[in-house]
Amino acid sequence: MKKLLSVLMAGTMALSLAACGSGSGGANTFTFASELDIKNLDSCDADDGTSFNAMHAVIDGLMGLDEDGNIANAIAEEHTVSDDGLTHTFKLRDAKWSNGESVTAQDFVYAWQRIIKNVGNYAYMMGSDGAHITGADELIAKTGSGEELTQEDLDTLGAKAEDDKTLVVTLTSPVSYFEELMTFPCYYPINEKFAEEQGDGYAKSAEAILSNGAFVMESWTPGSTATFVKNEDYWNADQVKLDKLVMNLVQEPTVAAQNFDSGSNDFAPINSDLVDQYKDDDAFITFKEGYLFYLQPNFQNTDLQNLNLRKALSLAIDREDFATNVLKDGSIEANGFVPEDLSIGPNGQDFRDDAKDFTTYDLEAAQAALDQALQELGKSEITLKLMYGTDESPMDTMATYLQNAFTKLDGLNIEMVATTKQDRIYVKQANGDFDISCTRWGPDYGDATTYLNLMKSDNVNNYGKWVNADYDALMAQISTEANVETRWNLMLQAEEMAMNDYVNIPVFQKGTSALENPSVKGLVFRPVGVPYTFNYVSKEA
């Protein structure tokens, strides 16, 4: 019987695993297949779900998740907030790094300063696009202008170690989801002495990372396997039932499924090509992820500056057909830029229920919009390059579907540009070397701004270079608005403003199909932040 798992309001749930494989490595080993590799375990640099899974297995932040997927204390034993919501005080429990040193408040201060100093991928999360920590925006502005920060500069950040066990964080604005933010890897602690000794090699091998979490990384062969063993000195070791966690890396879904059938995997995500084969099997489950797959037009392309051209692209996509009949993995059509099951408003409604629907399929209207665009641009036809990563499934499937959809429009030619995820993001998008990029975003926290911030003119992920002063002003108002109802309505307005301009073109919200082992229970899945938590996994004999 097929099992359908739904995502709860805060985006948390626990998966009770059920399937037919026995898994490898014995009763207390859990084997998890991943299509991608671990980039590294450095909170300053890692930016993908696989790396986050590995990092979360070995490192605890201030806050974590309980066995039901709810936000819970981790390294922070106590957390208090001032009446104005601007000062957060964390009292740390007695916890140790795997080299025997105590975890201290300074470990958090160092890590947070380090990500800003090194212009880390998630440095923006320290400022008004995330935690609103005092001084962060000013420091980020300095590094953005090429200035090298001094220690005196870094000490202006509003994160202070009052003593070894007391961390005080001051904010510029109240953040209602601050505890949830503290579960995200960019806020994890780092042992300064160890990291400095490792230098550029920090967190790039099993020997170059310390653990204060449930597991210690035992070995890691990039592109193959990573193994983790239980951390006997973990502060919550009594809750950890596994002796070993194995991640089988870079396993193409067909191979992962074969290994599951042979008992070598306990958990194996599969792709759309395998759904029909397994959909009636007790091993088969589907659940919604938080990822939104969308098109990012490059506004530096003079053709794509035309509103009607962008409108034509959106109208030409039959999202329901693609999600239901092509992907078949629990994915759903995207009706806006903020996904379902991400954020709940003060009225108890999901953001998507309160917001308008901004997408529809109408090929005749798409052709009319394109004809209008061609007339406005003074052209008889337009050629656009559609870029996608071949190693970020199902991006290639989406790109092929979109190519077929767009070429139904007379006067529009599509050239496919196949590359890798790393090249797509850090070379071509970063340098503006694209027309339309097939891209995706996974939510960092359970609030609509984790998506809406992407379209601010100064957001580092705004590779399309859309600039709208009214939108920036609206987002600035949202960032400081204390009234929750007012703030909610402002976010609805912000999405509508961006979607009416087709800034980004949402396509679908990702679902996952997977095969699960019946003897395994307690894997916690969360579509926000770190996808999987392995701390509570148990395996019946």
Side-chain angles (χ1 to χ4, degrees), residues 3-7 12-18 30 32 67-69 267 285-288 512 514 516-517 520-526 531-533 536-538:
K3 303 178 185 68
L4 179 65
L5 303 181
S6 61
V7 181
T12 61
M13 71 177 181
L15 300 181
S16 295
L17 304 182
F30 175 66
F32 179 91
E67 59 268 31
D68 296 318
F267 184 88
I285 63 165
T286 65
F287 51 93
K288 278 185 288 187
T512 286
E516 301 178 316
N517 185 324
V520 178
K521 301 186 185 303
L523 178 65
V524 178
F525 171 78
R526 220 170 156 260
Y532 294 95
T533 295
Y536 309 104
V537 172
S538 62

Side-chain angles (χ1 to χ4, degrees), residues 231-301:
N231 181 4
E232 298 295 344
D233 294 326
Y234 179 46
W235 67 269
N236 201 23
D238 289 346
Q239 293 295 316
V240 181
K241 304 299 188 294
L242 293 177
D243 293 327
K244 181 175 286 190
L245 165 67
V246 178
M247 291 186 182
N248 286 329
L249 305 168
V250 199
Q251 283 206 350
E252 192 271 336
T254 300
V255 175
Q258 291 171 348
N259 288 338
F260 178 86
D261 289 338
S262 69
S264 299
N265 284 331
D266 290 308
F267 184 88
I270 60 175
N271 62 13
S272 303
D273 295 338
L274 297 170
V275 168
D276 288 340
Q277 178 181 342
Y278 287 99
K279 65 182 180 182
D280 295 323
D281 197 303
D282 284 347
F284 181 75
I285 63 165
T286 65
F287 51 93
K288 278 185 288 187
E289 295 183 9
Y291 282 107
L292 179 80
F293 282 64
Y294 62 98
L295 296 178
Q296 185 167 63
N298 188 349
F299 281 77
Q300 297 177 86
N301 179 310

Side-chain angles (χ1 to χ4, degrees), residues 39 42-49 51-52 55 111-112 114-116 118-127 129-131 133 136 140 181 184-187 291 421 425-426 440-445 450 454 460-461 529-530:
K39 183 181 180 182
D42 185 352
S43 59
C44 187
D45 184 61
D47 58 358
D48 63 280
S51 297
F52 287 169
M55 198 184 310
W112 298 3
R114 177 177 178 269
I115 196 171
I116 294 177
N118 293 349
V119 196
N121 289 330
Y122 283 99
Y124 69 88
M125 289 280 283
M126 299 294 161
D129 284 349
I133 300 173
I140 292 168
L181 283 176
F184 197 71
C186 70
Y187 302 104
Y291 282 107
K421 177 183 177 182
I425 298 174
Y426 300 113
R440 67 177 189 174
W441 185 258
D444 301 330
Y445 50 90
T450 192
L454 297 175
V460 294
N461 296 288
V530 180

Side-chain angles (χ1 to χ4, degrees), residues 99 147 264 279 335 388 430 436 534 537:
N99 65 354
E147 185 174 340
S264 299
K279 65 182 180 182
N335 295 316
Y388 64 99
I436 309 171
F534 305 102
V537 172

Side-chain angles (χ1 to χ4, degrees), residues 358-373:
F358 298 102
T359 61
T360 188
Y361 172 61
D362 189 330
L363 194 58
E364 184 177 344
Q367 185 64 61
L370 177 60
D371 291 342
Q372 182 67 29

Side-chain angles (χ1 to χ4, degrees), residues 132-148:
H132 288 253
I133 300 173
T134 57
D137 285 342
E138 292 78 6
L139 293 171
I140 292 168
K142 285 186 177 182
T143 59
S145 65
E147 185 174 340
E148 187 171 340

